[in-house]
Amino acid sequence: MKLSAEFRELILQFYQDILDDVSSQEELISTVLSPLKDEAKRARLRDYLSLVTSDNFSNDELKNLWWSSSADIVFYDGAELRIFLKRVRDRL
């Protein structure tokens, strides 16, 4: 699956030391979403995250999608990534 422009923009927020800069997963989500101010972009990202976290994608496919991006943060477990991305989607 192709990465959407909004997903690529989100991924850029996952820089190498971001986990040192936040104290909780909620703060991490707020931090990575903070640059995304445009409501239309947020809606497109929400739709994309709904698609990739649906049952149509296996945990391995989701993990491979993440790993194909430029994110510096690695998820080794596709199920955990799915849960995290659903939380991100729900905050949009």
Side-chain angles (χ1 to χ4, degrees):
M1 165 165 241
K2 184 178 176 185
L3 299 177
S4 74
E6 295 78 20
F7 189 69
R8 276 194 224 108
E9 188 174 340
L10 173 71
I11 291 301
L12 290 175
Q13 305 311 309
F14 289 88
Y15 57 89
Q16 184 175 357
D17 296 322
I18 191 168
L19 297 178
D20 295 335
D21 297 340
V22 297
S23 59
S24 68
Q25 192 174 79
E26 289 304 312
E27 187 178 0
L28 173 62
I29 293 170
S30 293
T31 300
V32 300
L33 289 178
S34 63
L36 293 165
K37 307 275 189 228
D38 182 86
E39 285 303 317
K41 281 185 178 182
R42 290 173 73 92
R44 286 190 301 270
L45 178 58
R46 186 175 26 255
D47 291 345
Y48 183 81
L49 291 176
S50 291
L51 174 67
V52 299
T53 59
S54 72
D55 292 337
N56 295 330
F57 288 85
S58 71
N59 289 337
D60 285 338
E61 289 172 317
L62 184 57
K63 184 175 68 172
N64 290 337
L65 180 71
W66 182 270
W67 285 26
S68 72
S69 74
S70 60
D72 289 334
I73 304 300
V74 176
F75 284 87
Y76 292 102
D77 184 318
E80 288 180 17
L81 175 58
R82 183 181 309 276
I83 291 166
F84 176 74
L85 290 178
K86 284 182 176 182
R87 290 186 76 191
V88 171
R89 178 203 62 204
D90 292 347
R91 290 278 300 275
L92 286 165

